[in-house]
């Protein structure tokens, strides 16, 4: 008797009505499969990087030992590709990147060890490989090594990739925008207004300056013009703010008992900080009175928006420019967590200069 399961037939979802138990099991099954895919990808990446590390060391040692010139790697590329035609990674350009990658990190092994970075012994290699490297895809690593001048910058981006699951495009944008140089540079009072470790994380998420060059504005523009452009380009603005920011709204009306209404410029929620973030925009340089208004809005957010499990709300003031001493004096005695940063509108400045030259 033929097995009916082996008889050709149409398969459709209507043949089985999924109940809640099936839906729950299917969801769990999908998560398990995705996790297995992730583990498999990490394993493959780790083994490939271990080989690259030992290959990079071999290339450096052989060149030094036998005084082989640059053409040696071209010959090596041809020989390896002839033997392994289906394998990727043996082009001359990639061998050059492997050598540069190995030299960049192996020259900093002592620093990495003192900084508490875990090191892993690699087969056939005398220098250990930093553990962090195995969690980062190779093409991401080539971006870092080609763009970063210091080991501190490289470690910053490596950790960002792991923590935020950055794509290579996001990484390239972050490096181009000099995220390492700008992160944590905004003036703030988080050390005295937030508990650990939230104060360190809050300081880390605020940059200075913010690069707002992804839209056009006239030479003369108002705060509302700037706010409208940011709201219209909210996806790009969120990318500039960084991972964790979720857009809540703009000009949300705040009614007071006296009947007077106030309108904070933009409100976000930060998923890692677990708190509301109020952003105020100014098209002029920083002035001390700006702090009082932002302080009011943050207090209002704590009172009206903050829910159970939320951490204290924070405020970010974005202004055209600032005097660091004036900002520091203005923040003294303020008990709500506030940060002050500047922004850059390169398109506006470049267009203004062009107009001035044309007029001249």
């Amino acid at each position: 008797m033929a097995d009916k399961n082996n008889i050709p037939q149409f398969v459709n979802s209507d043949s089985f009505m999924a109940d809640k138990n099936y839906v729950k099991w299917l969801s769990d099954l999908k998560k398990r499969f995705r996790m297995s895919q992730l583990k498999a990808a990490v394993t493959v990446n780790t083994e490939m990087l271990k080989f690259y590390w030992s290959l990079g060391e071999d290339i450096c040692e052989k060149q030094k030992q036998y005084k082989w010139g640059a053409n040696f790697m071209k010959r090596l590329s041809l020989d390896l590709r002839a033997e392994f035609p289906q394998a990727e990674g043996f082009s001359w350009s990639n061998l050059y990147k492997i050598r540069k990658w190995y030299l960049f990190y192996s020259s900093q092994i002592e620093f990495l060890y003192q900084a508490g970075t875990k090191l892993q012994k690699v087969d056939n290699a005398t220098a250990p490989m930093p553990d962090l490297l195995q969690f980062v895809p190779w093409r991401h690593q080539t971006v870092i090594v080609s763009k970063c001048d210091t080991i501190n910058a490289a470690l910053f981006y490596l950790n960002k990739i792991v923590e935020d699951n950055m794509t290579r495009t996001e990484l390239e944008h972050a490096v181009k925008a000099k995220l390492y140089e700008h992160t944590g540079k905004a003036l703030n009072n988080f050390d005295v207004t937030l508990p650990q470790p939230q104060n360190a994380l809050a300081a880390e998420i605020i940059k200075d300056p913010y690069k707002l060059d992804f839209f056009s504005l006239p030479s003369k523009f108002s705060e509302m013009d700037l706010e409208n452009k940011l709201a219209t380009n909210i996806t790009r603005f969120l990318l500039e703010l960084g991972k964790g920011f979720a857009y809540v709204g703009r000009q949300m009306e705040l009614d007071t008992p006296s009947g007077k209404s106030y309108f904070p410029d933009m409100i976000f929620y930060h998923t890692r900080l677990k708190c509301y973030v109020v952003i105020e925009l100014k098209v002029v340089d920083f002035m001390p009175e700006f702090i009082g208004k932002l302080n009011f809005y943050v207090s209002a957010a704590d009172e009206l928006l903050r829910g159970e499990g939320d951490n204290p709300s924070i405020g970010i003031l974005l202004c055209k420019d600032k005097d660091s001493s004036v900002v520091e004096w203005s923040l003294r005695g303020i008990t709500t967590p506030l940060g002050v940063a500047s922004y850059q509108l390169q398109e506006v400045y470049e267009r203004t200069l062009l107009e001035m030259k044309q007029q001249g």
Side-chain angles (χ1 to χ4, degrees):
M1 183 175 179
D3 185 350
K4 65 179 182 180
N5 291 321
N6 292 326
I7 299 174
Q9 57 185 299
F10 286 106
V11 177
N12 59 75
S13 60
D14 294 335
S15 59
F16 172 74
M17 298 302 293
D19 57 18
K20 64 179 182 180
N21 294 316
Y22 176 82
V23 172
K24 183 179 180 181
W25 173 70
L26 180 62
S27 176
D28 177 65
L29 192 61
K30 290 177 181 178
K31 290 179 182 177
R32 284 158 48 197
F33 181 68
R34 290 193 184 100
M35 186 59 67
S36 69
Q37 286 182 310
L38 179 61
K39 289 181 178 179
V42 170
T43 300
V44 171
N45 188 63
T46 298
E47 292 306 313
M48 182 187 72
L49 290 174
K50 286 181 179 179
F51 173 75
Y52 280 179
W53 185 266
S54 63
L55 175 59
E57 184 179 63
D58 281 351
I59 289 173
C60 293
E61 288 188 350
K62 300 303 181 187
Q63 283 188 305
K64 183 178 180 181
Q65 181 179 1
Y66 300 114
K67 304 294 188 293
W68 291 338
N71 287 331
F72 142 70
M73 284 197 292
K74 294 180 180 179
R75 172 61 187 269
L76 179 63
S77 172
L78 291 172
D79 290 338
L80 289 174
R81 284 193 290 175
E83 182 66 23
F84 308 105
Q86 303 301 319
E88 297 182 3
F90 290 140
S91 66
W92 173 82
S93 62
N94 201 58
L95 291 182
Y96 177 81
K97 290 173 183 176
I98 290 171
R99 179 181 181 277
K100 184 176 181 179
W101 173 72
Y102 170 78
L103 284 173
F104 182 81
Y105 290 104
S106 64
S107 64
Q108 301 287 341
I109 289 298
E110 185 62 29
F111 170 84
L112 292 168
Y113 177 75
Q114 292 175 353
T117 304
K118 293 182 179 179
L119 305 175
Q120 182 182 102
K121 188 69 175 68
V122 177
D123 293 341
N124 302 318
T126 56
M129 182 179 77
D131 270 10
L132 182 58
L133 296 181
Q134 66 182 303
F135 301 109
V136 178
W138 172 245
R139 298 187 73 182
H140 287 59
Q141 303 218 33
T142 60
V143 172
I144 292 175
V145 173
S146 66
K147 302 295 184 181
C148 293
D149 297 325
T150 67
I151 189 66
N152 282 327
L155 290 175
F156 172 85
Y157 289 115
L158 288 171
N159 280 299
K160 275 290 179 184
I161 293 167
V162 174
E163 293 170 4
D164 297 339
N165 195 27
M166 272 186 171
T167 65
R168 190 158 63 98
T169 300
E170 289 174 332
L171 171 64
E172 289 172 342
H173 171 77
V175 173
K176 185 178 180 180
K178 297 185 177 181
L179 183 62
Y180 169 68
E181 289 84 350
H182 298 161
T183 295
K185 302 301 188 294
L187 297 170
N188 61 78
N189 62 356
F190 298 153
D191 279 346
V192 295
T193 57
L194 292 173
Q196 294 182 342
Q198 191 186 13
N199 55 2
L201 180 56
E204 181 185 321
I205 69 165
I206 302 184
K207 300 184 289 186
D208 188 28
Y210 285 86
K211 197 169 183 181
L212 309 180
D213 60 351
F214 45 87
F215 52 79
S216 298
L217 279 170
S219 298
K220 294 182 179 180
F221 58 93
S222 66
E223 289 173 9
M224 185 57 70
D225 292 330
L226 178 58
E227 183 185 325
N228 287 337
K229 285 294 184 179
L230 291 177
T232 302
N233 296 272
I234 191 62
T235 301
R236 184 61 184 78
F237 186 37
L238 285 169
L239 185 61
E240 177 62 20
L241 288 174
K243 290 281 188 177
F245 280 89
Y247 185 44
V248 176
R250 55 177 291 220
Q251 292 293 319
M252 296 172 63
E253 186 172 3
L254 168 62
D255 290 326
T256 61
S258 65
K260 186 174 177 59
S261 295
Y262 296 88
F263 301 87
D265 287 340
M266 307 185 86
I267 297 179
F268 298 81
Y269 189 85
H270 199 277
T271 56
R272 289 179 63 195
L273 283 171
K274 294 187 179 355
C275 73
Y276 285 93
V277 180
V278 180
I279 293 183
E280 277 291 287
L281 307 168
K282 298 297 177 184
V283 296
V284 296
D285 293 353
F286 175 83
M287 290 191 282
E289 51 263 40
F290 295 160
I291 289 296
K293 191 173 184 181
L294 181 58
N295 178 54
F296 168 70
Y297 284 149
V298 173
S299 298
D302 269 340
E303 188 70 25
L304 303 175
L305 297 177
R306 183 181 175 186
E308 185 177 352
D310 289 336
N311 289 315
S313 304
I314 67 175
I316 303 175
L317 179 71
L318 296 184
C319 51
K320 183 179 177 183
D321 204 352
K322 63 189 185 305
D323 182 311
S324 298
S325 296
V326 175
V327 173
E328 290 173 358
W329 297 340
S330 301
L331 288 174
R332 287 180 189 173
I334 300 295
T335 57
T336 51
L338 306 178
V340 179
S342 59
Y343 56 81
Q344 294 178 342
L345 297 169
Q346 290 293 341
E347 287 188 11
V348 175
Y349 298 150
E350 290 171 2
R351 187 164 54 253
T352 302
L353 289 174
L354 179 61
E355 290 173 357
M356 291 174 63
K357 287 181 180 178
Q358 290 174 343
Q359 292 172 2

